[in-house]
Amino acid sequence: QVQLVESGGGLVQAGGSLRLSCEASGRSFSSYAMGWFRQAPGKEEREFVAGIHWSGGNTYYTNSAKGRFTISRDDAKNTVYLQMNSLKPEDTALYYCAADYLPWTVQPGEDKYDYWGQGTQVTVSS
């Protein structure tokens, strides 16, 4: 069992930056690929934003995040981060982190993830 707690969301102006954190409790954090998803206002589905392999060696981004967002992990702190720069109003969403146990590769589908946090709100004003 893994519990995930996100933090770092808030209100920021367009062009600004935020760093989201997701701290995990439980066993074997280093065995989980970690993903960041977001759910925009009025949308039912969560969108994959970025993911990092359990080995830490590979990272994946959705097209809208490439060049602006960076995912990283610190297994000693059981924490995964999402550094978000050059934020846009369309980045406004509830951001979730999720854990996928020992996958072959990072997967973008939310149904592949075993554990989810409660989310942290990011609001970007124009």
Side-chain angles (χ1 to χ4, degrees):
Q1 191 80 4
V2 174
Q3 292 81 42
L4 303 173
V5 179
E6 303 95 336
S7 62
L11 174 64
V12 64
Q13 288 188 332
S17 299
L18 284 174
R19 188 175 82 153
L20 306 184
S21 300
C22 172
E23 185 172 359
S25 60
R27 299 185 300 175
S28 303
F29 175 74
S30 60
S31 298
Y32 288 86
M34 299 300 296
W36 283 99
F37 291 76
R38 65 188 181 188
Q39 186 173 20
K43 293 194 174 181
E44 291 188 1
E45 291 184 353
R46 286 183 283 209
E47 174 195 18
F48 174 82
V49 176
I52 186 165
H53 196 256
W54 51 265
S55 68
N58 294 305
T59 56
Y60 303 85
Y61 299 91
T62 191
N63 285 339
S64 62
K66 287 179 183 177
R68 299 190 299 128
F69 294 1
T70 303
I71 188 171
S72 61
R73 64 189 297 157
D74 185 339
D75 288 352
K77 295 182 178 180
N78 281 8
T79 301
V80 62
Y81 303 97
L82 185 68
Q83 177 68 45
M84 304 188 296
N85 299 327
S86 302
L87 283 162
K88 304 175 182 179
E90 50 264 43
D91 294 317
T92 294
L94 187 60
Y95 283 71
Y96 297 90
C97 70
D100 182 10
Y101 183 68
L102 281 178
W104 179 254
T105 186
V106 173
Q107 304 180 85
E110 61 176 304
D111 61 325
K112 303 300 183 183
Y113 288 77
D114 304 299
Y115 302 102
W116 292 83
Q118 294 301 306
T120 185
Q121 179 67 39
V122 171
T123 303
V124 184
S125 63
S126 58

